[in-house]
Amino acid sequence: MDEQTFDYAVRLAAGALAGGQAENVEDAVEFAYRSYKELMMARQQLIDDAEE
């Protein structure tokens, strides 16, 4: 994981804690991981759509 991606994941986790999406650090990390996966799937879909 590059530094920019790591920074984004940390921000997502912190936001999950601050925003009440997570009750503890483990939940916040899981939230960040799920969010990142969804973004990467959306990114790939945009790339695929652009190639068609």
Side-chain angles (χ1 to χ4, degrees), residues 21-37:
Q21 295 290 325
E23 294 181 11
N24 56 51
V25 173
E26 291 82 11
D27 289 346
V29 170
E30 180 63 30
F31 177 84
Y33 177 71
R34 284 192 321 269
S35 297
Y36 181 75
K37 275 181 48 177

Side-chain angles (χ1 to χ4, degrees), residues 7-17 28 31-36 39:
D7 183 56
Y8 181 69
V10 169
R11 289 173 187 255
L12 274 173
L17 280 170
F31 177 84
Y33 177 71
R34 284 192 321 269
S35 297
Y36 181 75
L39 286 170

